[in-house]
Amino acid sequence: MTLSPPRAPATGARRLTATLYGYAFLDDFVLLYPVYALLFADTGLSVWQMSSLFVLWSATGVLLEVPSGAWADAVSRRTLLVLGPLLGAAGFALWVIVPSYGAFAAGFVLWGARGALGSGALEALVYEELERLGAADRYARVMGRAHAVGQAAAMAAMGLAGPVFAAHGYPAVGAASVLACLLCAATATRFPEHRVPAADGDGPGWAATLRAGLTVARRDRSVRGALLLVPAVAAVWGALDEYTPLLARDTGVPDAAVPYLLVLIWAGVTAGSLLAGPAERLGPGALAALLTASALALAVGALAGTPAGLVLVALAFGGFQLATVLADVRLQHRIEDTGRATLTSVASLGTELVTIGVYGTYAALATTGGHGTAFALCAVPYLLTAVAVARGRGKRGRPRGPGG
């Protein structure tokens, strides 16, 4: 008699990935994304005021990122993934109901809290559930596809935002965005979570978990290097993304066409995510080359000042997205089980800190030289990162896992 292999691991993996992809889709299916910079401008905000809002957004993440990651290690990660989108829904509702600087600021605080609650918790939950199923080696492919699903959702939202905005204005795109957040929270309740959080009064608690995670980063050089790589590749292009509607508007197209140009850019980002699985074993030399090519494409495309130039911007963003996913994979492979969400949040904290600096720098550059010049100059940090990665290859010798 031939016994069939157990189906539980395969069934568990399907449930996890289906929920993850649904969550990723709804998390980014926000019709406000391609037009909220235009909303701010139409409300009368200057580039400096918009940058101050982005700084407030990142500052909220700075304050909450690591504590929320430690909290995710101490309590249920699924609960945090449910709560986050509800905060986002409240923020988006404020933006369209009472559009003003104060409402935008409150919305960004709520959105920053939403991001902090999910950052670290999502990656840790997915990695540990895959590890429990004996499929940790699928993490890069699964997360790459999840990013791609989210980016496809963003492109779908951009495609819908144009006609919805043209027909019904900001209130309609705002209502659709709130609905997507509510559905995202409902989807998060379906995440499997076999890890049992400590009961109240038991276990180390989030503060002790935070200290333990930071101790690992101080003592393990490979973990520390992986932590630093994440903000180095994720921060600048993540900040520039907030200004892409203004870059697109400067090419001379009407406002209703801006979302369609953003679809082009996000098609590049999606392609970068889909390449994460095949590119998982890229060494430091290849990663340095990727960053260099992407930086040059960003500079040339932004300075072109035409819709066609945004094709190069799309290629650049795709390269940066691929590098971002690979940096996360590299980090996850170096972390032991203890403090995974905490250390992932430490990396995100570094990203937020660098992002704040980028917002201020961008405002100064765009005010004096325009959006194209600001984008081009923001490519320089990637050239410096590429040099550092290439030099690190020579010092370390043979790479350990993805990205070196």
Side-chain angles (χ1 to χ4, degrees):
M1 178 178 179
T2 303
L3 296 177
S4 299
R7 298 177 58 84
T11 302
R14 283 196 295 271
R15 176 188 171 187
L16 173 64
T17 55
T19 304
L20 174 63
Y21 299 156
Y23 184 88
F25 184 91
L26 292 167
D27 193 40
D28 280 317
F29 190 68
V30 178
L31 271 63
L32 268 172
Y33 282 174
V35 299
Y36 69 73
L38 306 182
L39 171 63
F40 299 162
D42 291 343
T43 306
L45 272 61
S46 67
V47 176
W48 275 106
Q49 287 176 309
M50 283 188 269
S51 292
S52 71
L53 290 173
F54 298 150
V55 168
L56 177 63
W57 182 20
S58 289
T60 302
V62 167
L63 293 175
L64 298 180
E65 187 69 56
V66 176
S68 68
W71 190 21
D73 278 330
V75 301
S76 168
R77 292 161 181 169
R78 180 172 54 201
T79 298
L80 301 189
L81 296 176
V82 172
L83 179 59
L86 298 179
L87 298 179
F92 294 148
L94 277 175
W95 285 2
V96 294
I97 293 174
V98 284
S100 62
Y101 184 87
F104 298 149
F108 269 123
V109 170
L110 290 169
W111 196 0
R114 169 194 182 176
L117 290 178
S119 175
L122 179 64
E123 294 87 348
L125 185 149
V126 172
Y127 191 91
E128 290 184 359
E129 288 297 317
L130 286 174
E131 189 174 46
R132 186 185 66 84
L133 296 169
D137 59 332
R138 295 178 55 192
Y139 178 80
R141 183 165 66 254
V142 168
M143 290 304 292
R145 289 176 179 174
H147 284 296
V149 168
Q151 287 138 16
M155 289 190 290
M158 291 169 190
L160 285 174
V164 171
F165 176 72
H168 303 290
Y170 293 116
V173 295
S177 301
V178 170
L179 177 60
C181 291
L182 296 178
L183 292 174
C184 184
T187 301
T189 64
R190 299 296 301 159
F191 272 116
E193 186 177 25
H194 292 82
R195 171 181 168 275
V196 180
D200 292 341
D202 297 332
W206 76 263
T209 303
L210 172 58
R211 288 194 297 271
L214 294 176
T215 298
V216 171
R218 286 195 303 269
R219 293 178 178 175
D220 191 324
R221 183 178 178 182
S222 68
V223 171
R224 187 166 62 251
L227 284 172
L228 293 174
L229 182 62
V230 172
V233 299
V236 177
W237 83 271
L240 291 179
D241 177 49
E242 307 308 323
Y243 301 99
T244 49
L246 302 177
L247 181 69
R249 176 187 265 181
D250 275 4
T251 64
V253 300
D255 285 355
V258 168
Y260 301 118
L261 291 179
L262 299 186
V263 168
L264 171 65
I265 293 175
W266 278 86
V269 176
T270 303
S273 294
L274 291 173
L275 289 171
E280 182 178 0
R281 291 294 172 183
L282 281 183
L287 180 58
L290 173 66
L291 292 173
T292 300
S294 300
L296 294 176
L298 176 64
V300 174
L303 290 173
T306 64
L310 295 182
V311 174
L312 288 175
V313 176
L315 291 174
F317 272 36
F320 295 143
Q321 169 63 13
L322 173 57
T324 299
V325 176
L326 294 179
D328 171 57
V329 173
R330 184 176 186 260
L331 176 61
Q332 297 302 327
H333 282 317
R334 281 161 171 72
I335 299 175
E336 299 297 334
D337 291 340
T338 302
R340 183 175 301 279
T342 301
L343 288 169
T344 305
S345 289
V346 169
S348 296
L349 171 62
T351 301
E352 295 293 349
L353 289 171
V354 176
T355 298
I356 289 175
V358 175
Y359 288 144
T361 301
Y362 185 93
L365 294 173
T367 301
T368 58
H371 295 290
T373 300
F375 267 72
L377 291 175
C378 285
V380 174
Y382 284 108
L383 296 176
L384 300 177
T385 300
V387 171
V389 169
R391 287 182 175 177
R393 175 193 183 189
K395 291 178 180 179
R396 287 191 303 269
R398 187 175 181 177
R400 290 178 51 195

